[in-house]
Structures are given as structure tokens and as C-alpha cells.
Amino acid sequence: MISPVMPTYGRFDLAFERGEGVYLYTTDGRKFLDFVAGIAVTGVGHCHPKLVQALSGQAEKLWHVSNLYEIPEQTRLAERLVANSFADSVFFNNSGAEAVETAIKMARKYQDAQGHPERYRVITVQGAFHGRSLATLAAGGQEKHLAGFGPVTEGFDQVPFGNLNELRAAIGPETAAILVEPLQGEGGIRPMALDYLRGLRKAADEFGVLLMFDEVQCGMGRTGKLFAHEWAGIEPDVMALAKALGGGFPIGAVLAKEGPAAAMTAGSHGSTFGGNPLACAVGNAVLDVILEDGFLDRVDKVARRFWKKLEALVAAHPKIFESVSGAGLMLGLKCVPENIVVVKKLMDGGLLTVGAGDNVVRMVPPLIIEDSHVDEALAIIDKAASELTKE
Ligand SMILES: *Cc1c(COP(=O)(O)O)cnc(C)c1O
């Protein structure tokens, strides 16, 4: 008989009751070091006091009113995202897929407003993941996610990862935008070269198409800067955010420069829940934490030390690990055995990690981790790798 919860997820036999900072506690009292963080969602750790306070404080005042009215918490969050990014304006959603879907709609609407309704196609890169709606599935272009859900939504062209010439060659008279993750998450923790990102900016300007970044996973401080593209010293025209923006409360956002944002005229797009008072109160609290002086520098410092020690660990266990990849606290260990075997072994040792494409074990810990947590994780990884080598 089918379970009451639809069988879309292959789940581990673990149920958590409580979270505190970097740790999770199961209903039967076991403690885990959480380097999954809800897949890069609980960026400031579980039950951060500032987030708890923001959420419960707002819950006692007002939960929801509809975007028919002014929402001061939403305005404040938008103003702060604008002040701390390339963007001039923000639209709020509830999830990553919705945010990317909005970005795709914006690209079409912008080109239409420019007098180019024929420009509707979006170029994406192999290995991409942009969400599970029909359009974002097509944008991601992954066979395993598209199977059975055809026909595939029209309007997407995919090019090989990291090849600027092929991408430039794919830009045609119908191209509206380029959409990429500066650091691919689901695809296997694959960072795009900074020069490649700069090349995308140049190509977009040259051909009059929009450059759109999906920073749903790699944004919000994950790489040691507020947004991953900042490492390349360039700016996109549009960017999708979600995951860590709400620290575990569902919220997504599309940030855009004035041009594309202005195309989204009153009545052209909307969302019932997007940017409601509860979500935005929490989003503001997340920003309070991440924008605090020294926070991102600390992320960068902890991450660099972690990376160095991981490289040594990989070298010490050649039968288990091939290489380290990623940036900041978005790290991948490419495995020799099947990655799920390693994930399970680490789980037995008390460390939560998650698989990604390309046979990678992904680690996206809360950004508040300290050297001691890193050392604890390294010891578990070292022990697991030694045991797996003997098996
Ligand atoms: C998780 C993710 C999405 C989809 O977000 P949902 O909230 O699950 O819809 C889109 N893009 C990237 C890069 C992601 O990591």
C-alpha cells in the first residue's frame, strides 16, 4: 500500500526532534554534526536565537495580509538586499524554483518590452539544477529529472560546462538570457572559473542578452562573500535566491537591475505568499546575522582551513577520495566508491553529508561553524575513510 506521504523521496531512517546551532538530535536521543543544513538552508544554524525571536515576535503581531497591501517587513528586506547587491529591485517568492521561474519570465518580459518579443530563449549549462517546475526542469536539462514529464518546456538551449566559445556560439537572434549557477550545487559542487563568469558578462553585453545567476544554493554568504559572483568582480542583471535567505523559513527572491525589473509592471506577475510578514521578518533576521561585521570574513577563514585539511585527508585516502571541489563552505569530495556508501558511513560516524552529481559527497554546513566543528568532522571523515579502505 502507498504511504500517506507520496513516495517522491528516498529517505534515511532518521527523524530529528531538535536542532541547536551545528547539531541535530534525533527522536531517540542521538546527536549528529549537521554538514547538510537542510541542503544549504539553515545557513546561520538551527534555532538561531535571533531568528527564533524574529519569527515568534512577528507571529504574535501579524502573519499574512496579501500583496494587496504594503508590507513593511518586505519593503525593509528588499531595501537591504538592494543596498547590499548589484540589484535595484526585488520580487519575493516562496522557493528556489519559483524564483528561477520568475527570472525566466522576467527575461522574456524584458526583451518583449525592448521591442524584441522574438527573444525568448534561455541558454543554460550542462549539469545545471534550477528547480522542479516545468520551466526550471527544462532549464536544468537533466535527463533523470525530466524523464516521464514530457513534453519538455520549449525555449532552453544547453551548452557544455565551462566552454565560453560554445556558449557564445549558442547565442542567436532568439536568445533572451544566459542562466547559470556560478557554483553548481546538485551537479556536483562545480565552480565556474572566475574568467568564465567575466566572459559571460562580456558576451551578454555584446549580444544584448541578460545575464542571470541562480544563487539559490551558493548565495547568502555560502562562499565567504554575500553572493558567489562577487569573487569574479562582475554583476549579473538578474539573480535568484532562496534556501538560506530564510534560514529554514520558506522564502525566495529575484533581484534585478532596473531594466528587467521595470518590465515587471503592475499585474504582470504575483504570488499569494511571496514576501509575507513572517517570511520577511525571518529574512531580515538572517541578514542581521550575515551582515554583522566580520561574519563573512570568519566564514572565509574557517572555510580555507577546512579546505586545506580536506586536501591532506583526500591525499591520505586515495582509495576513497579523488579530489576536493567547491568554494567557501560549499565543498565536495569526489569519491572512488559510490558516494552514497560514503554518505552512509559518515552518518554512522555521526556526520551528516549529502550526495551531489558527479559522485560527490557534498558538505554545506551552517556558516557559523568553528574550527572545532571542522576538526570533529575531519576526524569522522578520516575514520570512515580508513574503515572503508579496509572493507
Ligand atoms: C535548490 C535549488 C533550486 C530549487 O529550489 P527549491 O526551493 O527546491 O525550489 C534551484 N536552484 C538551485 C541552484 C538550487 O540549489
Side-chain angles (χ1 to χ4, degrees), residues 279-299:
C280 291
V282 180
N284 274 307
V286 168
L287 278 187
D288 287 343
V289 177
I290 295 184
L291 294 177
E292 210 169 90
D293 248 1
F295 183 89
L296 291 171
D297 288 340
R298 255 193 320 274
V299 171

Side-chain angles (χ1 to χ4, degrees), residues 19 50 53 78 130 192 201 239 244-245 254 296 314 328 358 376:
K50 282 197 176 143
Q53 198 185 17
H130 296 299
M192 292 185 171
R201 179 69 271 173
M239 174 173 70
L245 178 58
V254 188
L296 291 171
V314 163
D358 216 16
E376 192 181 337

